[in-house]
Amino acid sequence: ACNYMGENECFYPLEGFDCDGNCFYDSDDDGEFESEVCCNSIGLEFWGNNDGGIYPTSQSLVQGLEADVEFVLNIPGTFEEPSTGTFYSVNQFIIEEVSGLPSWVEEIDLVGDTINGEEQICIPINGIPIATGEYEIQVSGIYTVLIFDLPFEIDAVEYSALLYVTENPNPVEGCTYDLAANYVAYATIDNGSCEFDGCAWSSALNYVPYGNGSEPCVYPNQFCGDPAALNYVSFGTGNTLQCLFEEQVCGAGLSWNENTNSCEMDDEFLQAIVVNICGEGTIWNSELSQCFPEGLCPEDLNSDGIIGITDLLQLLSTFGEYCEETIETSVFSCGDPMNYHGYDYTTVQIGEQCWFAENLRTELYQNGDSLLSALSSDDWSSASGPGYCAPYNETEVDQRGLIYNAYTARTNEVCPSGWTVLGDGPWRQFEEELGFTQYETLYQTWRCEPLGDWMKSNSFGEVSWDGTNQIGFSAIPAPVRTNSGQFWGNGNSACFWTSTGGYGNYGPYHRRLETQEARVFRDYNHVPMHSNNHGAAIRCVKD
């Protein structure tokens, strides 16, 4: 049923389960198949003469039986670029996603791993199959090749293999009730062994039939005898299972009040939560225990700027009524200004997404901590974490916003709560939803024109900036900062970070617009944006 034929073909069980789904290799060509074809037997290099892909192309398992098999991801020494038919020497294959694995398979952490040309990596399949079926395991990633001894991204590929789970000819006994503590997902016959979390003693107040003893039991004739407990009684037995202590009942910021027999908020906790309750542009008034717009007198109830008779009558009309603790918060609608760290950003709806219509200019993380201000060339080039500067180190921040290094974009912690720096994949989806098809070269991608024109403003000061701004993105020219701390661009381009992509010391992908160019460029190693110490603008998008 199992055999090995030729150098590149491995045939798996054609019928029955004679070989447990494993393929055997005739290592000495004597007609006897003595060696399992897997990572731990004949070795990874066995697959080296094959094309890039997952080997073997399929394997079979049996429902309810422990699985311990392996696939091999083989990366060849050369790669044919599909659009040109040119062969290149492979530098690395970078794994971006592993999908299609059944839920019962033990977690496999391969994303981000790199495999050199003419090398292989194991994909272990461990676990107990819980249901019959066919699963297509897929590994997708990006090839980088060497051109003039420099690495370039050349293509994204997806390799796949099939995993078959066949019906177990023998019954598998176990608990088949899915709410039980010992539920067996792959069992086919219930053997009456189901157990449930809880106290196992029938005389206890909290007895659970068929309980497994995982919870302490509470009995009607026992009381707490610990004087430090909240429910202490003088005739208590001293059994601590019935005792309740302040730290068990009252959470952080709360303390027990013996007079009211309840947990109450302390002043610091109250101040902390009201700060969170009050939204952007509002401030807490401790006297009236309400949030009010900043700069507005709390007594000016009708918000007309004057404390007058109308305000007094409105207050008297509710005299003596119970004050309900309701907090009204304004609902943000895309197109409204978004106040963040004291500045109102213009927003715009583009397709399904809400964008900042201007470049980010904050000097703080989302939590209020300060970013590194790297003004000098030396400070900029030596930074090993998030940082920013103003264009040409000017003292006033204008509509060009600030320049951030790639570390800042990667952290994704500088946009407001509920907003993000888009990754390269979501950027692609955003562009494709607008109806634009991508065209790829060796190291960059541009989008079908005129998307670049649509994103660019139609003017910027005295600079010729030739966009139509059809979608309201309002991109304006701004310099970028190079790895050495120099400013580059001369007002003829605009670059925006994404939060993902690139590899090693290469910065993430970015999007670039240029004067007299209707396309949108996507790349990560285009001069001068090939390092985490280079700088560009950031746009925030609502989650």
Side-chain angles (χ1 to χ4, degrees), residues 406-455:
Y407 295 111
T408 309
R410 286 190 187 279
T411 66
N412 217 340
E413 296 177 359
V414 292
C415 288
S417 176
W419 296 71
T420 189
V421 182
L422 274 193
D424 178 60
W427 255 101
R428 289 197 194 191
Q429 183 179 356
F430 160 71
E431 292 161 329
E432 290 165 1
E433 286 176 352
L434 292 178
F436 294 93
T437 306
Q438 67 181 46
Y439 299 89
E440 298 191 6
T441 64
L442 291 182
Y443 63 88
Q444 65 185 11
T445 301
W446 63 78
R447 299 284 166 171
C448 189
E449 55 185 71
L451 181 54
D453 281 347
W454 288 13
M455 296 175 67

Side-chain angles (χ1 to χ4, degrees), residues 17 59-65 67 102 104-105 125 128-135 162-168 186:
F17 309 98
Q59 298 205 62
S60 294
L61 302 172
V62 179
Q63 178 189 9
L65 296 184
W104 48 265
V105 172
I125 304 296
I128 300 178
I130 63 177
T132 61
E134 174 183 315
Y135 304 90
L162 295 176
L163 186 66
Y164 298 101
V165 177
T166 58
E167 184 177 358
N168 196 323
Y186 53 85

Side-chain angles (χ1 to χ4, degrees), residues 181 194-201 206-215:
C194 292
E195 298 178 356
F196 300 86
D197 290 333
C199 169
W201 292 93
N206 60 335
Y207 165 64
V208 175
Y210 307 103
N212 59 11
S214 62
E215 300 292 337

Side-chain angles (χ1 to χ4, degrees), residues 4 20 103 261:
Y4 172 78
D20 295 327
S103 60
N261 287 326

